[in-house]
């Protein structure tokens, strides 16, 4: 018979007494022999105070069966409550760190602090940035799966960002803030867009706290400086000037003497009807000519633009009382009025736009209007009529727009050139214009720093270029600037003042897209209803050069960004 672990039958008298000889009988045998109930086995997790429970059970062997049962039940309750208290204690200890951390706890805290440092850039450096201590250098943190740029480039841009934050006092921890912002940009950009995004962010920091007008003006100043720095690359080489009939050196005395001897006969070729005539002779034949240029329509003969007649059918559609002539040989021009060069100095502008209007006199073609604009602002520096040296034959109003040069106060050629060469054109000043070889010839100026838009914007057909054909300024302005110039419906003022801005009703906008808003009334002026406007033409040439410069700078920036990415 096995021993009962619960003593459920210990209070019942054994039915086979006195013959029962079982050492471990389930029933009670009274005082004859007593076997105390065996303690119920306890799980290993509830081993606490098991010894005391067992001893208490053994000591109560002489008590009655009911008292033994109550003792066993009370012991079980104590064990259960003790186990609950132990579990609650362990739970509370796990929720709170000990006052003196163990070695393992210290290691865990150290690892967590390192991970916090590695991710400090992703969080804007927490809300308590003012109280945080800034790092001594700008750190470049890794970007997964791969960074958008080399480490050196990222460090350079991040350092520039930190400097901007420090200079503008936008952060008390500029190095940490720069590292965080750089990591943010590097994580969301590619190798193509990373550098530009960083630069734009740095520029935007510099604009904080400024008025929009001031920011716009600063941007224009920066663009103007970059254009002026790039402008020398457009200056034509000496061989280009020679190919386009520019004067590259002053004529020698021998050449001038030979030209003077050749001009002694007094005969010239008419620039309109191509006939020989004696200059200044009385009773010379009238000049019958076409004032327009011949053009060819596909599949037909050449026709004149002035009247539409076929070339060779008639002598001309217009009759003028006198013949006119043009001299293009530089030594011959030097015979009438010597050439000169501009003086050196730092007081002159870096670049100016230039345009001249010419008329026919007894000395050939002479200067009758001179306009100089500052580049690239298109501010009028000088605009004046000029009284020619020879007697006027035809002011060529159809093209020059000038109807008279007899008003009082108009400067002579020598006075006008003296003012220009003393204030506006130096030896290092870059002259911008269209077909400037003619303008420099009538100005008697030998200058090699030239940007000619007829050379800068050549025709697409190389064969026509080799034959000397060029695009007109009107065509270039229409194609590139979307601007109509040299139209007969325009009205503008020709002024004598050298510092006044002139508004043209149909004139082109300046480099910055603005039109002068103030007009000063000159002492003497001539209104013109047809012909070219020298201010308008000079602006068009200047804007064409500025447009190409901006295009080349943008292309340069793209190539630089591609090379550094």
């Amino acid at each position: 018979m096995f021993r009962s672990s619960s003593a459920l039958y210990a209070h019942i008298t054994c039915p086979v007494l006195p013959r029962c000889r079982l050492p471990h009988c389930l029933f009670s045998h009274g005082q004859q022999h007593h076997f105390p109930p065996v303690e119920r086995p306890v799980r290993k997790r509830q081993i606490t105070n098991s010894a005391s429970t067992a001893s208490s059970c053994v000591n109560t062997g002489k008590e009655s069966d009911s008292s033994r049962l109550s003792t066993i039940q009370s012991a079980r309750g104590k064990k259960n409550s003790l186990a609950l208290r132990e579990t609650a204690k362990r739970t509370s200890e796990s929720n709170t760190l000990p006052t003196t951390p163990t070695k393992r706890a210290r290691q865990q805290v150290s690892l967590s602090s390192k991970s916090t440092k590695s991710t400090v850039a992703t969080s804007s450096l927490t809300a308590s940035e003012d109280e945080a201590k800034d790092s001594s250098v700008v750190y470049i943190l890794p970007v997964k799966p791969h960074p958008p740029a080399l480490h050196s480039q990222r460090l350079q841009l991040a350092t520039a960002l930190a400097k901007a934050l420090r200079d503008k006092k936008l952060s008390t921890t500029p190095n940490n803030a720069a590292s965080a912002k750089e990591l943010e940009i590097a994580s969301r950009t590619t190798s193509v867009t990373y550098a530009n995004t960083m630069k734009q962010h740095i520029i935007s920091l510099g604009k904080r706290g400024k008025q929009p007008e001031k920011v716009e003006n600063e941007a224009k100043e920066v663009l103007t400086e970059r254009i002026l720095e790039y402008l020398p690359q457009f200056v034509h080489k000496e061989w280009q000037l020679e190919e386009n009939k520019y004067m590259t050196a002053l004529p020698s005395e021998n050449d001038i003497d030979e030209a003077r001897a050749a001009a002694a006969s007094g005969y010239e070729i008419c620039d309109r009807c191509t006939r020989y005539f004696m200059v200044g002779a009385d009773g010379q034949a009238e000049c019958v000519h076409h004032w327009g240029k011949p053009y060819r329509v596909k599949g037909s003969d050449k026709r004149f633009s002035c009247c539409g007649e076929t070339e060779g059918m008639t002598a001309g559609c217009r009759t003028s009382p006198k013949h006119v002539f043009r001299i293009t040989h530089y030594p011959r021009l030097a015979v009438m009025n010597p050439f000169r060069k501009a003086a050196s100095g730092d007081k002159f502008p870096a670049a100016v736009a230039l345009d001249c209007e010419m008329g026919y006199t007894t000395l050939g073609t002479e200067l009758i209007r001179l306009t100089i604009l500052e580049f690239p602002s298109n501010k009028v520096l000088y605009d004046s009529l000029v009284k020619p040296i020879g007697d006027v034959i035809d002011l060529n109003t159809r093209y020059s727009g000038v109807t008279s040069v007899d008003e009082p106060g108009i400067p002579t050629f020598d006075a006008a050139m003296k003012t220009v060469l003393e204030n506006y054109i130096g030896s290092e000043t870059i002259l911008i214009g269209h077909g400037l070889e003619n303008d420099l010839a009538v100005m008697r100026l030998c200058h090699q720093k030239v940007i000619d838009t007829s050379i800068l914007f050549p025709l697409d057909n190389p064969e026509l270029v080799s034959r000397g054909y060029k695009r007109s300024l009107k065509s270039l302005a229409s194609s590139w600037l979307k601007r109509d110039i040299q139209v007969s419906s325009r009205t503008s003022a020709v002024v004598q003042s050298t510092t006044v801005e002139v508004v043209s009703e149909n004139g082109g906008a300046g480099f910055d897209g603005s039109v002068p808003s103030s007009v000063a009334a000159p002492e003497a002026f001539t209104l013109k209803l047809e012909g070219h406007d020298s201010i308008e033409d000079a602006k068009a040439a200047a804007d064409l050069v500025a447009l190409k410069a901006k295009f080349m700078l943008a292309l340069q920036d793209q190539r630089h960004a591609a090379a550094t990415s």
Side-chain angles (χ1 to χ4, degrees):
M1 193 73 177
F2 58 87
R3 173 181 288 181
S4 173
S5 59
S6 59
L8 295 177
Y9 303 100
H11 63 284
I12 302 175
T13 304
C14 183
V16 292
L17 279 178
R19 296 188 302 277
C20 181
R21 294 292 183 265
L22 296 176
H24 303 290
C25 184
L26 298 177
F27 299 98
S28 175
H29 284 238
Q31 297 299 329
Q32 185 176 359
H33 63 281
H34 173 71
F35 302 99
V38 181
E39 179 188 4
R40 185 175 182 177
V42 183
R43 297 179 182 177
K44 292 183 179 181
R45 288 182 297 181
Q46 300 177 355
I47 271 176
T48 52
N49 295 333
S50 59
S52 60
T53 306
S55 60
S56 63
C57 293
V58 172
N59 294 334
T60 57
K62 296 181 180 181
E63 297 177 357
S64 62
D65 294 337
S66 59
S67 62
R68 286 200 301 272
L69 182 59
S70 61
T71 301
I72 292 172
Q73 292 175 349
S74 63
R76 290 178 182 172
K78 290 180 180 179
K79 285 189 288 184
N80 293 337
S81 62
L82 182 60
L84 291 174
R85 286 197 298 271
E86 291 291 335
T87 303
K89 182 178 180 181
R90 286 195 299 269
T91 304
S92 63
E93 290 177 353
S94 63
N95 292 334
T96 57
L97 291 175
T99 305
T100 306
T102 61
K103 180 179 181 181
R104 183 177 182 86
R106 288 194 300 269
Q107 291 177 351
Q108 291 176 352
V109 173
S110 176
L111 290 175
S112 64
S113 64
K114 290 181 180 179
S115 63
T116 303
K117 289 181 180 179
S118 64
T119 58
V120 67
T122 59
S123 61
S124 73
L125 302 177
T126 72
S128 60
E129 183 184 18
D130 295 339
E131 300 177 359
K133 184 178 181 181
D134 192 21
S135 59
S136 58
V137 295
V138 179
Y139 290 100
I140 302 301
L141 304 176
V143 178
K144 293 182 180 181
H146 53 79
L150 297 177
H151 182 274
S152 58
Q153 184 186 10
R154 293 182 61 194
L155 180 60
Q156 180 182 5
L157 292 174
T159 304
L161 177 58
K163 183 178 182 301
L165 292 172
R166 188 179 297 106
D167 294 343
K168 295 296 179 180
K169 298 181 181 180
L170 299 176
S171 175
T172 56
T173 56
N175 290 339
N176 289 344
S179 298
K181 189 63 181 179
E182 192 279 334
L183 180 61
E184 176 191 345
I185 295 176
S187 301
R188 60 181 172 84
T189 56
T190 63
S191 59
V192 178
T193 60
Y194 168 76
N196 287 336
T197 305
M198 284 291 295
K199 292 176 183 178
Q200 290 175 3
H201 180 68
I202 295 173
I203 293 174
S204 66
L205 295 179
K207 296 179 180 179
R208 293 188 179 180
K210 297 183 179 181
Q211 298 296 330
E213 296 81 4
K214 186 176 181 180
V215 173
E216 184 178 357
N217 293 335
E218 289 181 357
K220 289 181 182 178
E221 292 176 1
V222 172
L223 182 59
T224 300
E225 292 176 0
R226 294 191 64 191
I227 290 177
L228 292 176
E229 290 176 358
Y230 192 84
L231 200 61
Q233 301 188 37
F234 289 154
V235 175
H236 305 303
K237 304 295 187 295
E238 184 176 351
W239 63 268
Q240 291 177 304
L241 297 178
E242 292 176 352
E243 280 188 354
N244 290 274
K245 302 178 181 180
Y246 277 85
M247 173 186 283
T248 56
L250 293 174
S252 64
E253 292 295 333
N254 293 333
D255 295 338
I256 295 175
D257 292 339
E258 292 178 0
R260 184 180 291 110
S265 63
Y267 280 93
E268 299 291 347
I269 299 177
C270 181
D271 193 37
R272 294 170 175 166
C273 64
T274 67
R275 293 181 181 179
Y276 279 95
F277 71 99
M278 174 68 73
V279 178
D282 296 333
Q284 58 176 309
E286 293 179 341
C287 179
V288 181
H289 63 280
H290 291 282
W291 60 265
K293 295 181 179 180
Y295 67 95
R296 184 188 298 276
V297 179
K298 188 175 182 181
S300 64
D301 297 331
K302 283 187 177 181
R303 295 180 178 273
F304 285 98
S305 60
C306 52
C307 59
E309 291 184 0
T310 304
E311 186 179 21
M313 294 296 294
T314 60
C317 62
R318 183 177 179 182
T319 302
S320 298
K322 294 183 179 182
H323 294 284
V324 294
F325 67 99
R326 178 192 301 270
I327 299 175
T328 57
H329 188 52
Y330 291 116
R332 280 284 311 273
L333 292 172
V335 170
M336 303 174 186
N337 201 357
F339 281 85
R340 70 199 81 185
K341 288 188 175 181
S344 59
D346 299 333
K347 64 179 181 179
F348 302 102
V352 295
L354 177 70
D355 189 70
C356 298
E357 302 294 346
M358 286 82 77
Y360 292 107
T361 70
T362 55
L363 297 180
T365 53
E366 289 194 62
L367 178 67
I368 58 176
R369 182 183 178 185
L370 176 59
T371 300
I372 299 176
L373 307 181
E374 185 182 28
F375 180 85
S377 64
N378 286 348
K379 178 183 177 182
V380 178
L381 300 178
Y382 186 89
D383 182 39
S384 175
L385 296 174
V386 179
K387 185 170 292 188
I389 299 174
D391 296 333
V392 175
I393 298 177
D394 189 351
L395 291 176
N396 203 18
T397 305
R398 184 180 300 276
Y399 296 103
S400 68
V402 181
T403 58
S404 175
V405 290
D406 296 330
E407 289 89 352
I410 296 179
T412 62
F413 174 81
D414 292 334
M417 289 304 302
K418 180 180 179 181
T419 302
V420 169
L421 294 178
E422 286 181 355
N423 298 281
Y424 308 116
I425 298 179
S427 59
E428 299 299 320
T429 302
I430 298 175
L431 303 183
I432 300 171
H434 188 85
L436 283 179
E437 71 276 10
N438 300 318
D439 298 335
L440 294 178
V442 296
M443 292 174 67
R444 300 297 195 271
L445 182 62
C446 181
H447 200 82
Q448 293 189 0
K449 290 188 176 297
V450 173
I451 300 178
D452 191 338
T453 52
S454 66
I455 306 175
L456 193 63
F457 295 86
L459 287 168
D460 297 333
N461 191 337
E463 181 181 355
L464 294 179
V465 174
S466 63
R467 292 164 58 184
Y469 287 92
K470 299 178 181 179
R471 294 189 65 177
S472 65
L473 182 61
K474 183 175 183 178
S475 173
L476 291 174
S478 177
S479 300
W480 292 96
L481 303 178
K482 308 302 179 184
R483 185 187 305 169
D484 294 329
I485 63 172
Q486 300 175 359
V487 291
S488 59
S489 60
R490 178 196 61 257
T491 300
S492 72
V494 180
V495 302
Q496 291 183 359
S497 176
T498 59
T499 58
V500 66
E501 291 184 343
V502 181
V503 172
S504 173
E505 178 182 340
N506 196 23
F511 166 73
D512 56 354
S514 62
V515 177
S517 58
S518 61
V519 181
E523 297 178 359
F525 64 93
T526 299
L527 291 178
K528 63 178 184 177
L529 300 176
E530 58 181 354
H532 300 180
D533 182 5
S534 57
I535 291 181
E536 182 183 63
D537 293 351
K539 282 183 177 181
D543 291 347
L544 284 169
V545 175
L547 178 66
K548 186 156 188 175
K550 289 190 288 184
F551 174 79
M552 297 303 294
L553 288 173
L555 185 62
Q556 190 180 67
D557 293 342
Q558 291 179 0
R559 290 175 177 175
H560 178 72
T564 55
S565 60

